[in-house]
Amino acid sequence: MTKHRLPLQHQNILDQLPFGVSYLDHTYAFLEANLFLTELIGLPWELLSGKKCYEVMGEYKDDQSRQGLDKICSFCRIEEARRTGEKQVLERFFAGRWLRVTTVPEKDDCGQVTHFLEIVEDISLQKKAAEDLVSSVLDSIDDGFIIINRDFKIISSNRAYAESVGSPLGEIINQHCYKISHHLDRPCYLDGEDCPVKQVFDTGEPRTTIHTHYDAAGQRIYVKNKAFALQKNELGEVQTVIEIVTDITAKNHYEAEIHLLAFYDPLTSLPNRRLLLDRLEQAFIAGTRTSQYGAVLFLDLDNFKTLNDTRGHDVGDLLLVEMARRLQAAVREGDTVSRQGGDEFVVLLKNLSKTERIAITQAGHVAEKIRVDLGQSFHLAGHEQQITASIGLSLFCGHDTTVEELFKRADTAMYQAKNTGRNAVRFFDPAMQAALEASSALETDLRQAISEQQFTLHYQPQIDSKGKIIGAEALLRWNHPERGPVSPTTFLPLAEESGLILPISHWVLEEACAQLKIWSDIPTASGLRLAVNISTRQFRQADFVKEVQQILAVSGADPTRLKLELTESLILADIADTITKMQELGAMGIGFSMDDFGTGYSSLSQFKSLPLEQLKIDLSFVHNLDLNPHDAEVIETIIAMGRILGFHVIAEGVETKKQMAFLARSGCNAYQGYLFSQPVTATDFGHLLKAGVITKK
Ligand code: C2E
Ligand code: MG
Ligand code: MG
């Protein structure tokens, strides 16, 4: 039955109103509603009358699981009005329109709420005007945005976003947001746990992520995505998420530029003082770990001021740029060339030798090379320009000094170089300076020794357990006209460092092969094997195999009589290169012996795969036999392991019968040492051969 609280003419008036009016009792049942409202709800008054509002409106109307008050729908704030006795206003989207719902509670004389008046206005037009205003603002900003609903569909977006993904705005709306995320570096979030949008829906907390992607024009760009909850329902559940996408490529670029300005010299693009200090600190740390020396070189141009004054600052700048290029070309990759300002440069050298004497030579070499390179004339703005530099040097090993002290020393040394007449290299430490000068003088002499052929080869016999000579080791001898005999242990590291080892080694191989050829014609010597020491630099040459092949061919020596001695460190430095070359040389019939075995802490099993025939126990173990029981054990182990792995074992540095007896008992195959003979000339070696068997003294 239809109930009307109002006379009909009043009802007619109400039905004319352009907004909804309803009247509800304290149980929220409709007592009255005008036409606007019945049409909005979609039920004629006959069906609506007496119904509770939550049974016909809002999202819970079909939800049977909700009970009583819990079932109050979100269409209006009627429950709130009842509880507080106050008027409530709510704006919400319903049946395709934006509505403003005003709920006015009515009270009796005791203040109890008995009825509710509800007014429902359609504010869609106002909303649309406001939204249009917002979207025109949003379209004019550079950041892109999308609003995503709970189905992960995009319900709103702006121009900047559409442009960034290269789709027309209209095509983005209603798309699944993952469909257009293909341009991201990690497009496949789908509803994965790490999807920021999903996380915002789940937690309500904002999420910011950084991505790289390619924009519509194929340019790689960096974007910051900030997603946060835009709308929540009355239960606090996130209904829509807005994602704001900011292109931070320019900012990144800017930051890179700031980094460049902060750490690099703008003129030469070299590291500046700040970066140098940083690298130096790292070098200190690395040096503490490896015990390797490092060095700093302070470099100052001689008379740079005059050049600037006479030819102008532009030419001065050109010179500094060219200088920076030459300096960088003179050092290794891990080293740092930095410009401190003006014409002052500092070079940091890392990973020098662990031995001070060799590190001095190495640093001295680089400094000298730089001095010579900078001394070559510069072509600046159509003119030739000659300039020289003074270089100060100071060594460090780990944290053995402070940065300030190190710089002070190198700086002092640089002024000493200037005081000695410029165009010079000086070490801060007088002892180091002396060592550098000594090694420079030795190097000069060494060059002369090569051109004047001051070298000879000596031969130290290798014998079997019966005292029979089975071969020899070729050992280099240098007899300098004034210095007298110079030990290979003195001049070989310098030769290695300066590269002079290459011509020297070439000569040694030629001489050794010529000797082998001579022996091949002597019946007592034709079966001998000759061992030749190979240096690291020599072995690492790309054409080393070819070099050996040529020398053998020219000499006519039998490759199977030649044995190359390689050290453990040489083999391990570049194992792949070692294996290739050993295999190629091995295929020619050449044998290999591992020299100084036992000093490198490597395990024998590492060498199983190498075409190696012999292990040479280092003489330090043999010498310490009587002193250190541990060395005796090492020897026994090497021999036993060698036998298992099929290696022939020879001991070097055998000086006493006792050592010999121990080695023999342990199963050693061959011997070399002063007990049998010193290294001797080829002629004297011939005499030893005639005797046949070397009797132990
Ligand atoms: P190495 O290859 O381990 O040679 C053994 C060294 O021990 C030689 O010293 C030899 O004279 C010495 N020696 C031999 N028997 C005894 C002994 O009973 N007691 C003692 N105390 N020493 C003994 P040398 O000739 O001074 O050579 C030193 C190092 O120089 C060699 O060690 C080798 O590494 C290198 N060397 C020598 N000649 C050449 C060469 O032609 N080329 C290359 N790359 N290195 C060479
Ligand atoms: Mg040797
Ligand atoms: Mg040795």
Side-chain angles (χ1 to χ4, degrees), residues 430-446:
M432 287 189 188
Q433 180 61 26
L436 180 68
E437 278 162 19
S439 94
S440 299
L442 192 64
E443 194 178 318
T444 310
D445 287 356
L446 209 48

